[in-house]
Amino acid sequence: MLALHLAVFLFGSAGVLGKALAVSSLLLVFGRTLFAALSLLPVLLVQRQLSLRGIPKTVILCGVLLAVHWLSFFASLKVAPVAYGLMGFASFPLFVAWLEPWLFKEKRLGSDWISALAVVIGMAVMVSDSGPLVDGLPGQGDAVLGLLLGVVSGLSFALLALANRWQGEDIPPFKLAFLQNSVACLSLLPFVIFYDAVLNVSMGVWWGLILLGVVFTALSHGLFMFSLRHVPTRFASLMTSLEPVYGIMLAFFILNEVPSVQAMIGCVIVLLATTVATYWHSRVDFSDINKREF
């Protein structure tokens, strides 16, 4: 439980650290994936899992999706308060609930329609305030853009999760994380070179990128995988709903971001909708497993 909550806390904190670093979203994602892959390399060497034989081509797709996910997520934080990017990303369980039955020929639940409507209502409430949403920060127009970029981040993460299910569970989790971060890093390298993104970057920023890659990516992933050995997956999925809560709290204390009342009400609606959708799907999946075992 401690490992699970610490992992989710680190997940939610990554956005705050990324926003605090005064660099582009491109360099943020490039640095994060680079140092995450480098920190996982010794683990694979010790476990003798560095062989690339039998690696499915879908790993390349997953790496590109990971890059798109983090690019859109950090871009959302650059144009709007942290709450909007996090809540847009929090829609990913709903995308999974909608896309999974279609991709894997499974039954769609009627509650998915209700959850989808609730998420749309919650996001509409979040951007309904016509005044400044946070003192000293962009107003409604930028909040809408930030929320939309967060939704793109949630959609790409849902596609990543489904692609991982499609390619199977034959690859060990740390090796899969290493491969996906490596592909994401290499896919961004041409853009980093073209835009000279690494020029005039201070040493302090590089240390921040190392921290983002090692602690907030590699370590958090390891803690989450460790927790899955001791708690049910459905419970861990529900606990990830705390990620926006941790992120919004840290943004309040570190970045002095104070969301409006409408934004907080919208956050609650989105969180409830995604949590309920995840809960009902986990119950159905668990029920199906029990029936097959029986």
Side-chain angles (χ1 to χ4, degrees):
M1 288 290 293
L2 179 61
L4 176 60
H5 278 280
L6 183 56
V8 175
F9 176 78
L10 291 174
F11 290 156
S13 306
V16 178
L17 175 60
K19 186 163 187 174
L21 294 174
V23 293
S24 66
S25 302
L26 175 61
L27 185 57
L28 272 173
V29 181
F30 176 76
R32 180 177 190 175
T33 54
L34 172 64
F35 293 114
L38 290 177
S39 63
L40 289 169
L41 187 58
V43 178
L44 299 186
L45 288 173
V46 171
Q47 297 178 347
R48 298 180 180 179
Q49 296 179 351
L50 202 55
S51 173
L52 300 179
R53 292 181 180 178
I55 300 299
K57 295 181 180 179
T58 49
V59 168
I60 299 176
L61 171 63
C62 290
V64 173
L65 284 172
L66 183 64
V68 172
H69 158 61
W70 276 335
L71 277 175
S72 54
F73 176 69
F74 284 118
S76 72
L77 304 186
K78 296 295 183 180
V79 300
V82 171
Y84 293 86
L86 284 171
M87 296 316 301
F89 165 69
S91 64
F92 87 86
L94 195 60
F95 284 119
V96 172
W98 271 86
L99 293 173
E100 196 168 34
W102 176 60
L103 293 173
F104 294 95
K105 310 300 181 183
E106 297 172 349
K107 181 180 179 182
R108 177 174 283 115
L109 299 178
S111 58
D112 291 342
W113 294 94
I114 300 175
S115 298
L117 179 61
V119 168
V120 172
I121 292 174
M123 291 183 176
V125 171
M126 286 186 69
V127 297
S128 62
D129 189 6
S130 58
L133 295 166
V134 180
D135 294 338
L137 290 175
Q140 182 182 6
D142 291 312
V144 173
L145 177 59
L147 189 61
L148 290 175
L149 286 170
V151 171
V152 172
S153 174
L155 173 59
S156 55
F157 188 79
L159 292 173
L160 173 61
L162 294 172
N164 280 328
R165 177 187 170 185
W166 181 40
Q167 72 182 1
E169 300 179 355
D170 297 331
I171 306 176
F174 283 106
K175 184 175 183 178
L176 184 61
F178 169 77
L179 291 171
Q180 292 182 359
N181 277 280
S182 298
V183 171
C185 179
L186 291 174
S187 65
L188 294 175
L189 183 59
F191 299 97
V192 172
I193 295 174
F194 180 79
Y195 290 106
D196 295 330
V198 296
L199 295 181
N200 302 319
V201 177
S202 67
M203 195 62 202
V205 170
W206 281 114
W207 280 115
L209 292 175
I210 293 173
L211 183 65
L212 186 63
V214 176
V215 177
F216 293 88
T217 305
L219 177 61
S220 60
H221 182 86
L223 288 170
F224 189 74
M225 290 297 104
F226 170 79
S227 69
L228 291 179
R229 298 180 180 179
H230 303 279
V231 300
T233 305
R234 61 188 185 282
F235 178 77
S237 299
L238 289 173
M239 288 300 100
T240 56
S241 298
L242 291 174
E243 179 181 341
V245 178
Y246 288 139
I248 292 171
M249 288 175 58
L250 284 173
F252 172 77
F253 288 110
I254 297 176
L255 303 176
N256 296 317
E257 290 187 359
V258 185
S260 65
V261 175
Q262 290 94 327
M264 292 307 299
I265 293 174
C267 286
V268 172
I269 295 173
V270 173
L271 281 175
L272 285 175
T274 55
T275 301
V276 169
T278 303
Y279 172 74
W280 279 109
H281 273 269
S282 66
R283 284 193 60 183
V284 170
D285 293 341
F286 187 64
S287 175
D288 289 343
I289 291 172
N290 283 341
K291 288 179 181 177
R292 289 196 296 270
E293 289 178 347
F294 179 77

